[in-house]
Amino acid sequence: MSTTTFSSTCFLKGSEVKVSNLKCNNGNWKLHIGGSTALSTKRMQISNSKQEKEIRVALLGASGYTGAEIIRLLANHPYFGITVMTADRNAGKSMDSVFPHFITQKDLPVLVSTNDADFSDVDAVFCCLPHGTTQEIIKGLPKRLKIVDLSADFRLRNVSEYEEWYGQPHRAPDLQEEAVYGLTEILREEIKNAHLVANPGCYPTSIQLPLVPLIKANLIEHKNIIIDAKSGASGAGRGAKVGNLYTELTEGIMSYGVTRHRHVPEIEQGLSDAAHSKVTISFTPHLMPMSRGMQSTIYVEMASGVTTDNLYQQLKVSYQDEEFVRLLEKGAVPRTHDVRGSNYCYINVFPDRIPGRAIILSVIDNLVKGASGQALQNLNIMMGFPENTGLGYLPLFP
């Protein structure tokens, strides 16, 4: 007589089940859940084959960094499976020929052009196309689809403002009216029933997450907000550009978009919504010689009688139940290394040398919480799944 025993924990949809014992006694399997026998069978078949996913996803613009990051995140998602991928310049190619690190992902569909994409067997769409090209494509998609757009095309409610900052008229103003801005922790309830979610930009995510709760609580002034932000080179996309060449970028720091970065109106829109009045900011982004990561250093003037302890406590209350936004212990300095490859945002508050002012540090991975991770978080909510599904990646260090 031989007996084999296993102990494990398994996950069912929306819940965790503790398997205390899985015993085999001469070919008879017994499954013990929570200490009692829940199932007994003569033979239990254990298979490694992938089951068909419940939600069929199309990924438009799969050959860019954000598209590749969505593929990485969905590789272990229990409910979302990719059935369509587009990349116009790489149509007909396999994904591992574009990104060799996907050579193990044998179930990915072949890349097709956007015009040849078939959406008849698709439930949801991630759109990772460049701004300016997205509006008409999304306008032509079936109305039944749930869509998360990672471009800037639907982030600004005022289409005139979009034209001013992006240099072209908005081609889908009616669709813009129904788009929901997808800053998950702030607008979760609106996202639940949305048809189209405009995924926030990376800089706006790192800036609004710490500032919105403080503005709503009237703890900081709406003037003299100064933001010094730094991003890894992947934030500029995968296209060949002189400024992104190794010799141009390495061993230095480069400021860009000085006074006119396109994320400014998006940031001011979110902060003005929180304040119920117009908020303007001074914002300067910088490109750093690293592949991914983002830090926003934010200088604020506190309201009369407010201290940095008040700011700290407000952020603590605002995010104490949030999985992906973490307020560090007092005095701890957030580092981009500590969130790399993850969907986390780390925040902390420090007193400035100048009386009445505070310094807020916020770090994210620009490709995850700043783009694809937050997009997945939003689609999870839109499709009725726990929003952390597929996002349980620990930060990658070193």
Side-chain angles (χ1 to χ4, degrees):
M1 177 182 292
S2 63
T3 301
T4 304
T5 302
F6 299 93
S7 294
S8 182
T9 301
C10 66
F11 294 85
L12 301 179
K13 181 176 176 180
S15 63
E16 177 180 319
V17 178
K18 178 68 176 178
V19 178
S20 58
N21 284 297
L22 178 59
K23 292 184 178 180
C24 178
N25 188 355
N26 289 337
N28 291 299
W29 288 90
K30 287 190 176 182
L31 180 63
H32 296 257
I33 299 178
S36 62
T37 302
L39 176 66
S40 177
T41 63
K42 182 66 178 175
R43 298 289 182 196
M44 177 176 286
Q45 299 295 327
I46 299 175
S47 172
N48 291 322
S49 62
K50 283 192 173 183
Q51 293 184 346
E52 186 176 344
K53 303 294 180 71
E54 294 181 34
I55 305 301
R56 301 159 298 179
V57 174
L59 176 55
L60 310 186
S63 60
Y65 289 136
T66 56
E69 197 70 357
I70 284 176
I71 294 171
R72 180 179 76 90
L73 296 174
L74 292 187
N76 294 312
H77 197 290
Y79 311 123
F80 295 172
I82 301 174
T83 56
V84 174
M85 295 195 305
T86 75
D88 289 350
R89 288 194 299 271
N90 291 293
K93 295 182 180 179
S94 64
M95 196 62 188
D96 61 270
S97 69
V98 179
F99 287 104
H101 68 289
F102 287 130
I103 193 170
T104 60
Q105 302 301 301
K106 299 300 184 183
D107 57 342
L108 292 175
V110 172
L111 295 166
V112 298
S113 68
T114 305
N115 290 335
D116 293 335
D118 180 4
F119 296 97
S120 60
D121 289 326
V122 171
D123 303 302
V125 174
F126 288 113
C127 189
C128 301
L129 298 169
H131 70 265
T133 65
T134 301
Q135 300 154 28
E136 292 194 24
I137 290 173
I138 290 182
K139 185 168 64 173
L141 293 176
K143 299 299 182 183
R144 61 181 176 77
L145 298 177
K146 296 285 190 177
I147 303 166
V148 180
D149 178 33
L150 283 78
S151 81
D153 279 3
F154 294 97
R155 294 174 187 163
L156 300 180
R157 290 193 300 270
N158 188 325
V159 293
S160 298
E161 197 167 33
Y162 174 87
E163 183 173 355
E164 175 189 349
W165 286 86
Y166 288 89
Q168 57 189 6
H170 201 288
R171 296 183 177 87
D174 293 341
L175 197 55
Q176 172 60 60
E177 291 181 2
E178 66 179 84
V180 171
Y181 187 67
L183 190 60
T184 317
E185 285 77 13
I186 306 299
L187 294 165
R188 182 177 285 115
E189 292 304 313
E190 290 85 346
I191 293 166
K192 284 181 180 179
N193 298 314
H195 156 65
L196 168 62
V197 165
N199 212 58
C202 46
Y203 286 122
T205 295
S206 69
I207 292 162
Q208 292 179 91
L209 284 175
L211 288 186
V212 166
L214 302 181
I215 289 177
K216 284 184 175 180
N218 298 312
L219 295 179
I220 60 175
E221 300 290 348
H222 302 164
K223 59 182 181 179
N224 299 328
I225 299 175
I226 301 170
I227 304 161
D228 180 297
K230 299 174 176 65
S231 174
S234 59
R238 205 184 185 206
K241 303 170 189 174
V242 171
N244 292 349
L245 295 174
Y246 178 81
T247 50
E248 301 281 339
L249 184 60
T250 192
E251 299 180 22
I253 304 173
M254 183 181 73
S255 302
Y256 67 103
V258 180
T259 74
R260 289 294 298 175
H261 193 278
R262 288 167 168 170
H263 283 173
V264 167
E266 181 183 344
I267 297 166
E268 291 184 344
Q269 174 181 269
L271 300 185
S272 298
D273 287 348
H276 301 292
S277 63
K278 180 62 177 175
V279 175
T280 56
I281 60 169
S282 293
F283 171 68
T284 305
H286 311 270
L287 199 59
M288 303 294 290
M290 58 187 188
S291 60
R292 59 167 78 204
M294 175 168 287
Q295 175 174 310
S296 291
T297 304
I298 307 167
Y299 304 88
V300 298
E301 182 177 329
M302 292 179 286
S304 178
V306 173
T307 67
T308 53
D309 282 341
N310 298 135
L311 303 189
Y312 187 91
Q313 289 302 318
Q314 181 61 45
L315 290 172
K316 185 176 181 179
V317 170
S318 298
Y319 293 120
Q320 62 185 353
D321 296 324
E322 293 292 346
E323 180 168 355
F324 295 119
V325 181
R326 299 298 178 92
L327 180 66
L328 302 186
E329 295 294 325
K330 288 185 178 181
V333 177
R335 307 186 310 162
T336 57
H337 263 312
D338 297 333
V339 295
R340 191 170 188 264
S342 77
N343 198 51
Y344 292 105
C345 174
Y346 288 177
I347 300 171
N348 217 341
V349 182
F350 301 85
D352 199 339
R353 288 180 57 248
I354 302 173
R357 292 191 67 87
I359 302 170
I360 303 168
L361 297 181
S362 171
V363 297
I364 61 173
D365 185 316
N366 58 292
L367 290 179
V368 191
K369 187 59 173 170
S372 304
Q374 186 162 216
L376 178 53
Q377 197 176 350
N378 284 329
L379 189 59
N380 280 333
I381 292 173
M382 295 166 75
M383 303 306 293
F385 295 104
E387 68 184 66
N388 61 357
T389 309
L391 291 169
Y393 291 91
L394 290 175
L396 179 63
F397 185 86

